[in-house]
């Protein structure tokens, strides 16, 4: 693999967290999680194809989206032998599933996500949940822990609250640093994300809950009232009014609230006309 990357003129970016999967057993194990050999699959950032070729070989509809033009050209050649597979050049965040997979069938998204794009990629996937049945994603172990963290834990944060009302998340298996080139300093985790709406909520409420989480947890160790006032740019009195409407104690810390409590807080904020300052 290092030789192929050198031949292509590709130098993995440590800043962007680019680590190419090199262990074929990991690719086989991820592909094995998709039991239907004809289920459509979208891959984000195929790299050198360690997972792509396993998925495309079944003859399923398969699309890989690659931003790096050198890797894209290489993967176009690798996928040419599979009639139902194709490579799309560009940023996955600019893509629409209706254009990549016409017909409306639900599909699976897979990807070995560099740390730098993990959050935007999750937002993109969950923004198209009507088409995505599930996502099998390889991420840094610490990031996976944040997605499944419980309120009050040190890993719990706004990304935990963003995901919880929009998807179920399950850890599948751990991948050691030796499976990648260059070798990262941390383990990775393959997780399964199943998009689904928090019961009884609207999209507006879920988006507002995520906003409340960012505002409430922007300054850890602050009371909920102070953090919310600072995060939304509103008066302390206004923050206490929103919290009273939600039935929440203003001296709690934001990191102790569950996803359900953030939904309740969001509803109170919406009912009060969304008082907001500079946020």
């Amino acid at each position: 693999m290092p030789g192929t990357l050198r031949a292509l003129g590709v130098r993995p970016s440590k800043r962007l967290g680019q680590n190419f999967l090199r262990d074929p057993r990991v690719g086989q194990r991820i592909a094995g999680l998709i039991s239907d050999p004809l289920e459509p699959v979208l891959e984000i950032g195929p790299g050198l194809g360690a997972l792509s070729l396993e998925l495309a070989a079944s003859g399923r509809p398969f699309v890989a989206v690659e931003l790096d033009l050198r890797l894209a050209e290489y993967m176009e050649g690798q996928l040419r032998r599979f009639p139902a597979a194709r490579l799309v050049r560009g940023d996955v965040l600019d893509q629409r599933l209706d254009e990549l997979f016409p017909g409306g069938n639900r599909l699976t998204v897979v990807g070995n996500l560099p740390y730098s794009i993990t959050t935007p990629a999750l937002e993109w996937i969950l923004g198209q949940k009507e088409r995505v049945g599930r996502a099998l994603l390889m991420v840094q172990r610490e990031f996976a822990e944040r997605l499944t963290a419980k309120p009050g834990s040190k890993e719990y944060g706004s990304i935990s609250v963003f995901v919880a009302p929009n998807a179920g998340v399950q850890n599948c298996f751990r991948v050691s640093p030796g499976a990648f080139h260059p070798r990262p300093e941390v383990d990775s985790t393959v997780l399964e994300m199943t998009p689904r709406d928090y019961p009884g909520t609207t999209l507006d409420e879920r988006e507002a809950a995520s906003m409340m989480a960012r505002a409430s947890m922007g300054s850890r160790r602050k009371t909920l009232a102070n953090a919310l006032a600072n995060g939304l740019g509103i008066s302390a009195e206004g923050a206490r009014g929103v919290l009273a409407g939600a039935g929440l104690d203003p001296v709690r810390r934001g990191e102790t609230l569950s996803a359900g409590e953030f939904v309740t807080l969001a509803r109170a904020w919406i009912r009060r006309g969304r008082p907001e300052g500079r946020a």
Side-chain angles (χ1 to χ4, degrees), residues 10-179:
V10 176
R11 297 183 63 183
S13 170
K14 185 176 182 180
R15 179 179 63 84
L16 297 178
Q18 289 181 320
N19 303 97
F20 293 85
L21 180 64
R22 65 187 302 175
D23 188 339
R25 295 170 299 179
V26 176
Q28 292 164 5
R29 191 171 179 185
I30 295 174
L33 296 174
I34 307 174
S35 57
D36 183 351
L38 296 181
E39 181 176 343
V41 173
L42 168 71
E43 183 177 15
I44 300 173
L48 293 178
L51 176 56
S52 316
L53 302 183
E54 289 288 339
L55 293 167
S58 71
R60 62 165 41 93
F62 176 80
V63 176
V65 179
E66 177 57 63
L67 180 61
D68 188 296
L69 296 181
R70 296 160 298 183
L71 292 173
E73 183 176 5
Y74 173 81
M75 283 305 302
E76 282 177 339
Q78 295 296 304
L79 293 175
R80 200 165 287 135
R81 73 189 94 157
F82 306 113
R86 64 190 179 100
L87 190 289
V88 171
R89 302 187 183 202
D91 189 336
V92 72
L93 304 181
D94 297 329
Q95 308 298 319
R96 292 180 53 83
L97 286 180
D98 290 341
E99 296 174 357
L100 297 177
F101 293 89
N105 293 334
R106 292 172 73 82
L107 54 95
T108 290
V109 177
V110 302
N112 171 25
L113 300 182
Y115 184 77
S116 61
I117 71 160
T118 304
T119 297
L122 290 183
E123 293 173 345
W124 181 86
I125 291 168
L126 294 178
Q128 305 192 58
K129 64 175 66 176
E130 69 281 355
R131 291 294 310 277
V132 177
R134 62 174 172 163
L136 298 169
L137 305 172
M138 189 148 47
V139 300
Q140 287 189 3
R141 187 187 69 184
E142 289 82 355
F143 191 89
E145 290 173 347
R146 290 167 59 194
L147 296 185
T148 56
K150 303 300 182 184
S153 66
K154 67 177 182 178
E155 294 84 9
Y156 190 67
S158 59
I159 188 64
S160 314
V161 179
F162 167 71
V163 170
N166 292 288
V169 181
Q170 178 181 341
N171 290 340
C172 296
F173 60 90
R174 185 174 296 184
V175 183
S176 67

